Amino acid sequence: MHRLKFLAAAALICISAAAQAHRYHAGLTDISFNARSGSTEIVHTYMTHDVESLLANLYQRQFDLQDPDDEAILRKYIEQQFWLAAKDKSRLPLRWVGMTVDTQSVTIYQEAEQATLAHIAAIHHGVLADFLPEQVNTVNLNEGGAVRSLTFGRDNAEQPAR
């Protein structure tokens, strides 16, 4: 009986800890120019649980982000929710380089080929904010070692890059 109470208490602690561990929904995007390639590189990092929950909610099924078909669905979503705009307000073309997934995070790699940071007039970043009202996305713009950070959320999905 004592062992049963102990196991029940331990289970409640684990459930409580899991619920507490994921109250903050955040994404981090690093944007920097690669002088060797002449392209601007974009690296997004999101919590795996948030991405899987979003996709399950949208499509009413479980996703395996290692599967190329499921990656394509996530790619389409990311391309709808994140873009870089030029001075004329047109979207800069972003090439999907790929992604890595583990139990904690989904890391997505994109690049704006043959574009410097000076080409970016505005950033639109609504990834997960349409699904999670408390989602906060931070963009770090790295210009020659000087990093500026912008914060995006549901109410401010688009901001000037400068």
Side-chain angles (χ1 to χ4, degrees):
M1 183 69 165
H2 181 66
R3 180 173 163 81
L4 185 60
K5 285 182 182 178
F6 176 77
L7 289 174
L12 285 174
I13 289 170
C14 289
I15 291 168
S16 176
Q20 293 290 330
H22 198 71
R23 287 193 177 178
Y24 186 71
H25 302 283
L28 180 63
T29 299
D30 291 307
I31 301 175
S32 60
F33 179 70
N34 182 329
R36 283 188 327 224
S37 68
S39 298
T40 293
E41 297 175 344
I42 301 129
V43 179
H44 306 273
T45 305
Y46 305 102
M47 295 178 193
T48 301
H49 179 267
D50 291 344
V51 172
E52 289 175 340
S53 294
L54 164 81
L55 294 173
N57 184 62
L58 289 174
Y59 295 95
Q60 305 302 307
R61 69 175 179 88
Q62 294 299 311
F63 275 74
D64 175 4
L65 294 173
Q66 304 290 350
D67 180 285
D69 292 334
D70 287 352
E71 179 180 334
I73 290 169
L74 177 59
R75 175 183 176 176
K76 182 179 176 186
Y77 171 80
I78 296 293
E79 290 171 347
Q80 291 171 346
Q81 297 296 328
F82 177 85
W83 68 83
L84 305 175
K87 291 175 183 156
D88 66 0
K89 301 200 187 304
S90 67
R91 291 187 188 184
L92 294 172
L94 298 180
R95 184 173 73 85
W96 183 270
V97 176
M99 66 182 222
T100 58
V101 179
D102 63 35
T103 58
Q104 297 296 314
S105 62
V106 174
T107 304
I108 298 165
Y109 306 92
Q110 295 177 296
E111 84 178 340
E113 296 178 301
Q114 303 306 305
T116 66
L117 293 176
H119 288 98
I120 304 168
I123 301 168
H124 181 95
H125 197 328
V127 175
L128 292 167
D130 57 334
F131 175 61
L132 299 165
E134 61 278 357
Q135 177 74 20
V136 174
N137 293 313
T138 300
V139 172
N140 292 322
L141 287 164
N142 184 342
E143 296 190 69
V147 179
R148 286 185 307 110
S149 295
L150 301 170
T151 303
F152 297 79
R154 181 172 274 192
D155 297 331
N156 66 333
E158 192 161 324
Q159 297 181 45
R162 310 212 169 281

